[in-house]
Amino acid sequence: MSPLTPLSQTLLGAKRRKGVSFAELERLLQRDEVWIASLLYGQATASPEEAQTLLAALDLDPNLANELTIPPVKGCLDPELPTDPLIYRFYEIMQVYGLPLKDVIQEKFGDGIMSAIDFTMEVDKVEDPAGTRVKVSMCGKFLPYKKW
């Protein structure tokens, strides 16, 4: 059973058929490739113009645009442990480094959280003599807990 919605399956299938990369869509839509991927996976909301541009680029029915502009239910992955090895590694990173990361952030900023709303993420490829590396950079606004 696929965790993808029918719309996501359509979008991702069309992307594969067209042979277009997320980086190419980034240039076309003027949005980051990670945000575009989240849109195709049903985790972001497009403007009507972004939806039309994307659908035209993927040779899909323009009538699908409305579905891309409806705010989604976010974070709807199964609550069970992820089994995809790449996704599991991020889960593992949070299991091992989540509390230390929280402690370091709160030591530097105080009691609060990093926003996932006022947020950006970039994925870069870094060549290294020991093997190519993945660099994931996240930048979120700090939101302190208020006292009342």
Side-chain angles (χ1 to χ4, degrees):
M1 184 169 101
S2 173
L4 301 177
T5 65
L7 178 59
S8 288
Q9 290 175 359
T10 298
L11 294 167
L12 292 165
K15 178 188 169 295
R16 278 190 296 278
R17 280 191 301 283
K18 293 282 293 183
V20 64
S21 69
F22 287 115
E24 290 168 321
L25 292 173
E26 175 178 13
R27 288 187 288 279
L28 180 67
L29 294 169
Q30 298 298 298
R31 294 280 183 205
D32 186 82
E33 63 186 338
V34 176
W35 183 86
I36 293 167
S38 72
L39 176 65
L40 271 61
Y41 276 87
Q43 295 296 304
T45 308
S47 70
E49 298 79 23
E50 291 164 340
Q52 290 297 336
T53 301
L54 175 65
L55 294 170
L58 298 178
D59 291 330
L60 291 173
D61 184 349
N63 291 322
L64 293 173
N66 187 53
E67 289 184 63
L68 289 168
T69 64
I70 299 169
V73 175
K74 296 176 188 270
C76 56
L77 293 175
D78 246 336
E80 297 178 21
L81 290 177
T83 57
D84 177 88
L86 194 138
I87 296 171
Y88 177 78
R89 290 297 170 243
F90 280 97
Y91 178 80
E92 179 182 45
I93 289 166
M94 284 300 107
Q95 288 294 312
V96 175
Y97 297 105
L99 288 174
L101 184 59
K102 176 186 185 305
D103 207 19
V104 169
I105 289 169
Q106 291 183 332
E107 185 176 278
K108 290 182 179 196
F109 293 90
D111 189 15
I113 62 171
M114 180 176 76
S115 174
I117 295 170
D118 190 344
F119 176 87
T120 59
M121 184 182 325
E122 293 181 9
V123 177
D124 293 303
K125 185 177 184 179
V126 178
E127 297 301 332
D128 187 283
T132 305
R133 306 184 66 79
V134 176
K135 179 179 177 185
V136 178
S137 302
M138 297 184 285
C139 183
K141 180 179 181 182
F142 182 75
L143 302 170
Y145 285 104
K146 74 177 196 176
K147 296 179 182 180
W148 68 96

